[in-house]
Amino acid sequence: MTSMSRALPARAADAVIIEQSRREPERFAAIFDRYYTEIHGYAARRLGAGLADDVAAETFLIAFDKRAGYDVSRADARPWLYGIASNLIARHHRAEVRQYRALAKAGVDNPVEDHADQVAGAVDAGARTPRLAEALAEIADRDRDVLLLVAWAELTSEEAGSALGIPAGTARSRLHRARRRIQAALGRDGS
């Protein structure tokens, strides 16, 4: 096999890359390059910049270690990676809740740190308001995970369910419940 025939197409499906990485571990770098910034940005919005580096790095370490078990019938690895990241974030959930409570107390917007935050700004802007930050802190962890995977990671509810290892119907229920809590919190004072 020549190096030309082994080269990946410009945008090979994630499943193809992961399957190839089982025999050629260096191929996994394409998955890292493709999604690291996205996973890091999600972790930063959930836990703050201090923990995002660790969570993002550990996400890819775990993914690399578990690539042999990846279901190659799933062309897109995003839900899988977000599932790993969400599990790691769950370990840090107390820090996340403290961050939302601090935002709620501060009553001011956080400065945008980088371009990824600016891109996510439209979805993210509401989370920087004190009332919404307080509401996010009050939502059950499992409901918050689904809501933020849909809002910040732009996964569908089905993909969020897949990422979290729950049925799609459960993900939709949790998303609905979280949205109701957020709407109720924002509607408390007539906003």
Side-chain angles (χ1 to χ4, degrees):
M1 184 177 267
T2 68
S3 62
M4 188 68 104
S5 64
R6 290 175 43 178
L8 290 173
R11 183 67 181 173
D14 297 341
V16 171
I17 296 169
I18 292 170
E19 186 172 36
Q20 289 176 347
S21 78
R22 293 173 182 167
R23 294 178 307 282
E24 301 173 64
E26 65 276 4
R27 296 279 192 187
F28 197 80
I31 297 297
F32 178 89
D33 292 343
R34 193 175 280 179
Y35 296 114
Y36 179 82
T37 301
E38 191 175 324
I39 296 294
H40 185 275
Y42 178 71
R45 287 189 296 277
R46 294 283 309 263
L47 297 172
L51 293 172
D53 293 342
D54 293 341
V55 168
E58 193 170 353
T59 295
F60 286 94
L61 263 171
I62 291 169
F64 181 79
D65 287 344
K66 295 187 176 212
R67 72 190 188 285
Y70 181 77
D71 178 2
V72 294
S73 70
R74 296 170 54 191
D76 185 4
R78 287 178 70 238
W80 179 58
L81 293 169
Y82 276 107
I84 294 168
S86 291
N87 286 335
L88 293 170
I89 288 168
R91 294 181 191 166
H92 297 284
H93 80 281
R94 282 179 276 206
E96 180 184 31
V97 169
R98 280 193 304 271
Q99 178 181 340
Y100 289 132
R101 289 199 173 122
L103 283 171
K105 278 185 178 177
V108 296
D109 293 350
N110 279 352
V112 175
E113 294 177 6
D114 60 23
H115 185 270
D117 282 342
Q118 291 173 350
V119 171
V123 176
D124 197 15
R128 298 185 187 274
T129 64
R131 286 187 323 239
L132 186 52
E134 183 179 340
L136 285 169
E138 298 301 320
I139 293 174
D141 295 344
R142 64 183 183 271
D143 296 347
R144 185 181 329 108
D145 286 342
V146 174
L147 176 69
L148 296 180
L149 282 170
V150 170
W152 287 344
E154 298 179 3
L155 298 181
T156 66
S157 57
E158 290 76 17
E159 289 172 328
S162 175
L164 298 171
I166 58 174
T170 302
R172 283 190 296 275
S173 294
R174 290 179 182 180
L175 179 61
H176 178 71
R177 187 170 40 246
R179 285 177 172 161
R180 270 196 347 252
R181 293 278 312 258
I182 296 296
Q183 288 170 345
L186 294 178
R188 266 186 250 175
D189 63 359
S191 296

